[in-house]
Amino acid sequence: MRQQEMENKEPMDQSPEETVETPAPEAAEAQEPAPEEEAPQPAGEAEKLQEALREKEDQYLRLLAEYDNYRKRSQKEKENAWATAKAETIKELLPVYDNLERALKQETCDEAYAKGVQMTMTQLKTVLEKLGVEEIPAQGQPFDPNLHNAVMHMEDEAFGENMVAEVFQAGFKLGEKVIRHALVKVAN
Protein backbone atom coordinates (compact mmCIF):
# COMPACT_ATOMS: atom_id res chain seq x y z
CA MET A 1 0.00 0.00 0.00
CA ARG A 2 2.86 2.32 0.67
CA GLN A 3 4.14 1.77 -2.73
CA GLN A 4 0.86 2.99 -4.21
CA GLU A 5 0.98 6.04 -2.05
CA MET A 6 4.46 6.73 -3.23
CA GLU A 7 3.47 6.41 -6.79
CA ASN A 8 0.63 8.82 -6.19
CA LYS A 9 3.00 11.24 -4.49
CA GLU A 10 5.58 11.22 -7.23
CA PRO A 11 3.63 13.32 -9.65
CA MET A 12 2.98 15.73 -6.82
CA ASP A 13 6.64 16.26 -6.28
CA GLN A 14 6.73 18.14 -9.52
CA SER A 15 6.29 21.85 -9.23
CA PRO A 16 2.84 23.27 -10.01
CA GLU A 17 4.30 25.39 -12.74
CA GLU A 18 5.35 22.35 -14.63
CA THR A 19 2.05 20.52 -14.40
CA VAL A 20 -0.32 23.35 -15.08
CA GLU A 21 -0.30 24.49 -18.61
CA THR A 22 -1.52 28.01 -19.19
CA PRO A 23 -2.79 28.73 -22.62
CA ALA A 24 -1.14 31.49 -24.53
CA PRO A 25 -3.18 34.68 -25.04
CA GLU A 26 -3.45 34.01 -28.74
CA ALA A 27 -4.81 30.55 -28.02
CA ALA A 28 -7.43 31.95 -25.62
CA GLU A 29 -8.71 34.32 -28.28
CA ALA A 30 -8.87 31.52 -30.78
CA GLN A 31 -10.87 29.32 -28.41
CA GLU A 32 -13.50 32.00 -27.60
CA PRO A 33 -15.85 32.84 -30.43
CA ALA A 34 -15.58 36.40 -31.64
CA PRO A 35 -18.33 38.66 -30.31
CA GLU A 36 -19.07 39.84 -33.83
CA GLU A 37 -20.04 36.34 -34.89
CA GLU A 38 -22.68 35.93 -32.14
CA ALA A 39 -23.83 39.59 -32.13
CA PRO A 40 -26.34 39.40 -35.00
CA GLN A 41 -28.55 36.82 -33.34
CA PRO A 42 -28.82 38.38 -29.84
CA ALA A 43 -28.85 41.91 -31.28
CA GLY A 44 -31.71 40.92 -33.57
CA GLU A 45 -33.64 39.57 -30.60
CA ALA A 46 -32.79 42.68 -28.58
CA GLU A 47 -34.03 44.90 -31.39
CA LYS A 48 -37.26 42.92 -31.57
CA LEU A 49 -37.71 43.22 -27.81
CA GLN A 50 -36.94 46.95 -27.92
CA GLU A 51 -39.48 47.42 -30.72
CA ALA A 52 -42.10 45.44 -28.77
CA LEU A 53 -41.34 47.57 -25.70
CA ARG A 54 -41.73 50.76 -27.73
CA GLU A 55 -45.08 49.54 -29.11
CA LYS A 56 -46.37 48.69 -25.62
CA GLU A 57 -45.13 52.02 -24.29
CA ASP A 58 -46.86 53.80 -27.18
CA GLN A 59 -50.10 51.89 -26.48
CA TYR A 60 -49.84 52.81 -22.81
CA LEU A 61 -49.29 56.51 -23.56
CA ARG A 62 -52.21 56.55 -26.02
CA LEU A 63 -54.47 54.86 -23.49
CA LEU A 64 -53.38 57.34 -20.83
CA ALA A 65 -54.10 60.27 -23.18
CA GLU A 66 -57.52 58.84 -24.10
CA TYR A 67 -58.41 58.43 -20.44
CA ASP A 68 -57.29 61.99 -19.66
CA ASN A 69 -59.38 63.33 -22.56
CA TYR A 70 -62.37 61.27 -21.39
CA ARG A 71 -61.99 62.61 -17.84
CA LYS A 72 -61.80 66.22 -19.05
CA ARG A 73 -64.73 65.76 -21.44
CA SER A 74 -66.85 64.16 -18.71
CA GLN A 75 -66.04 66.98 -16.30
CA LYS A 76 -66.93 69.60 -18.92
CA GLU A 77 -70.20 67.82 -19.78
CA LYS A 78 -71.06 67.65 -16.09
CA GLU A 79 -70.40 71.38 -15.66
CA ASN A 80 -72.41 72.20 -18.80
CA ALA A 81 -75.31 70.05 -17.59
CA TRP A 82 -75.27 71.86 -14.24
CA ALA A 83 -75.14 75.29 -15.90
CA THR A 84 -77.93 74.37 -18.32
CA ALA A 85 -80.16 73.06 -15.51
CA LYS A 86 -79.47 76.19 -13.47
CA ALA A 87 -80.28 78.46 -16.44
CA GLU A 88 -83.50 76.58 -17.21
CA THR A 89 -84.62 76.81 -13.58
CA ILE A 90 -83.93 80.55 -13.48
CA LYS A 91 -85.74 80.99 -16.79
CA GLU A 92 -88.84 79.45 -15.20
CA LEU A 93 -88.63 81.96 -12.31
CA LEU A 94 -88.40 85.04 -14.54
CA PRO A 95 -92.18 85.35 -15.11
CA VAL A 96 -92.50 85.71 -11.32
CA TYR A 97 -89.95 88.53 -11.51
CA ASP A 98 -91.95 90.18 -14.32
CA ASN A 99 -95.21 89.95 -12.37
CA LEU A 100 -93.63 91.43 -9.25
CA GLU A 101 -92.22 94.25 -11.37
CA ARG A 102 -95.68 94.95 -12.81
CA ALA A 103 -97.21 94.85 -9.34
CA LEU A 104 -94.71 97.45 -8.14
CA LYS A 105 -95.70 99.78 -10.99
CA GLN A 106 -99.38 99.68 -10.03
CA GLU A 107 -100.68 102.36 -7.71
CA THR A 108 -102.33 101.11 -4.54
CA CYS A 109 -103.76 102.64 -1.39
CA ASP A 110 -102.66 99.69 0.73
CA GLU A 111 -99.17 100.54 1.99
CA ALA A 112 -98.68 97.12 3.62
CA TYR A 113 -99.43 95.42 0.30
CA ALA A 114 -96.95 97.66 -1.59
CA LYS A 115 -94.30 97.07 1.07
CA GLY A 116 -94.83 93.29 0.92
CA VAL A 117 -94.47 93.24 -2.87
CA GLN A 118 -91.34 95.41 -2.61
CA MET A 119 -89.82 93.06 0.01
CA THR A 120 -90.62 90.02 -2.15
CA MET A 121 -89.01 91.67 -5.19
CA THR A 122 -85.91 92.60 -3.15
CA GLN A 123 -85.61 89.03 -1.88
CA LEU A 124 -85.97 87.59 -5.40
CA LYS A 125 -83.26 89.97 -6.71
CA THR A 126 -80.96 88.91 -3.84
CA VAL A 127 -81.48 85.22 -4.65
CA LEU A 128 -80.80 85.82 -8.35
CA GLU A 129 -77.59 87.71 -7.49
CA LYS A 130 -76.41 84.85 -5.26
CA LEU A 131 -76.97 82.47 -8.17
CA GLY A 132 -74.85 84.69 -10.42
CA VAL A 133 -77.73 86.06 -12.48
CA GLU A 134 -77.32 89.64 -13.73
CA GLU A 135 -79.86 91.92 -15.34
CA ILE A 136 -78.73 93.00 -18.81
CA PRO A 137 -78.35 96.77 -18.90
CA ALA A 138 -80.54 98.13 -21.69
CA GLN A 139 -82.06 101.58 -21.09
CA GLY A 140 -79.93 104.22 -22.86
CA GLN A 141 -77.41 101.63 -24.05
CA PRO A 142 -76.41 100.98 -27.68
CA PHE A 143 -78.47 98.21 -29.24
CA ASP A 144 -76.66 94.85 -29.15
CA PRO A 145 -78.45 91.98 -30.95
CA ASN A 146 -76.58 89.50 -28.72
CA LEU A 147 -78.25 90.99 -25.63
CA HIS A 148 -81.37 92.79 -26.85
CA ASN A 149 -84.40 91.84 -28.89
CA ALA A 150 -85.82 94.85 -30.73
CA VAL A 151 -89.60 94.63 -30.91
CA MET A 152 -90.20 98.27 -31.90
CA HIS A 153 -88.39 101.02 -33.76
CA MET A 154 -88.87 104.76 -33.46
CA GLU A 155 -87.38 107.92 -34.90
CA ASP A 156 -86.39 110.42 -32.24
CA GLU A 157 -83.58 112.96 -32.48
CA ALA A 158 -83.25 113.02 -28.68
CA PHE A 159 -81.65 109.55 -28.84
CA GLY A 160 -78.48 108.61 -30.70
CA GLU A 161 -78.12 106.09 -33.51
CA ASN A 162 -79.32 102.57 -32.55
CA MET A 163 -79.89 103.44 -28.90
CA VAL A 164 -82.36 101.61 -26.67
CA ALA A 165 -85.18 104.06 -25.96
CA GLU A 166 -87.45 101.86 -23.83
CA VAL A 167 -87.28 98.46 -22.13
CA PHE A 168 -90.44 96.35 -22.23
CA GLN A 169 -89.04 93.28 -20.50
CA ALA A 170 -85.72 92.97 -18.63
CA GLY A 171 -83.13 90.59 -19.96
CA PHE A 172 -80.90 88.36 -17.82
CA LYS A 173 -77.65 86.49 -18.18
CA LEU A 174 -75.90 83.85 -16.12
CA GLY A 175 -72.18 84.51 -16.41
CA GLU A 176 -71.69 85.01 -20.14
CA LYS A 177 -74.73 82.96 -21.14
CA VAL A 178 -77.86 84.95 -22.01
CA ILE A 179 -80.89 83.41 -20.31
CA ARG A 180 -83.38 85.86 -21.75
CA HIS A 181 -82.87 88.75 -24.17
CA ALA A 182 -84.21 92.15 -23.17
CA LEU A 183 -87.28 93.23 -25.17
CA VAL A 184 -86.58 96.81 -26.23
CA LYS A 185 -87.64 99.73 -28.43
CA VAL A 186 -84.77 101.03 -30.53
CA ALA A 187 -84.43 104.67 -31.63
CA ASN A 188 -83.15 105.75 -35.05
Side-chain angles (χ1 to χ4, degrees):
M1 195 142 86
R2 276 204 178 259
Q3 197 174 16
Q4 286 179 347
E5 286 178 23
M6 294 290 258
E7 288 175 9
N8 289 343
K9 285 186 179 182
E10 279 182 35
M12 291 203 178
D13 289 335
Q14 296 174 348
S15 67
E17 295 171 4
E18 294 174 4
T19 57
V20 178
E21 293 181 31
T22 55
E26 298 94 25
E29 288 177 14
Q31 290 176 356
E32 292 180 19
E36 296 172 9
E37 294 174 17
E38 287 188 31
Q41 187 178 6
E45 287 180 30
E47 287 177 15
K48 288 179 184 177
L49 290 173
Q50 287 291 347
E51 183 63 31
L53 178 64
R54 279 190 288 264
E55 287 177 15
K56 291 297 180 187
E57 196 173 74
D58 185 51
Q59 286 176 349
Y60 169 74
L61 291 175
R62 288 178 189 271
L63 183 64
L64 185 64
E66 285 178 20
Y67 174 73
D68 191 44
N69 290 340
Y70 167 76
R71 184 182 54 79
K72 288 176 184 176
R73 186 174 54 249
S74 295
Q75 182 67 24
K76 190 174 182 178
E77 287 173 358
K78 190 166 125 179
E79 289 170 4
N80 286 341
W82 172 252
T84 301
K86 189 175 176 182
E88 290 298 317
T89 302
I90 291 167
K91 194 173 186 177
E92 294 298 318
L93 290 173
L94 291 181
V96 175
Y97 179 92
D98 296 335
N99 287 333
L100 287 173
E101 197 173 49
R102 285 185 203 104
L104 286 173
K105 290 179 183 176
Q106 295 299 315
E107 291 183 25
T108 182
C109 296
D110 190 354
E111 289 297 318
Y113 169 77
K115 187 174 180 178
V117 172
Q118 179 61 44
M119 288 173 59
T120 305
M121 182 63 150
T122 304
Q123 188 176 18
L124 181 59
K125 284 182 177 181
T126 304
V127 169
L128 291 175
E129 284 177 19
K130 284 181 182 178
L131 292 173
V133 178
E134 300 174 14
E135 187 172 340
I136 297 172
Q139 186 71 36
Q141 299 290 319
F143 176 74
D144 181 358
N146 297 320
L147 303 174
H148 309 120
N149 185 8
V151 291
M152 289 183 75
H153 182 267
M154 66 178 241
E155 295 293 329
D156 190 347
E157 296 302 322
F159 293 99
E161 184 78 21
N162 283 332
M163 296 298 286
V164 175
E166 187 177 345
V167 178
F168 297 118
Q169 188 178 54
F172 293 91
K173 63 182 181 174
L174 177 62
E176 294 300 314
K177 182 177 182 175
V178 176
I179 297 173
R180 180 175 79 181
H181 291 79
L183 297 179
V184 297
K185 180 193 286 187
V186 180
N188 304 320

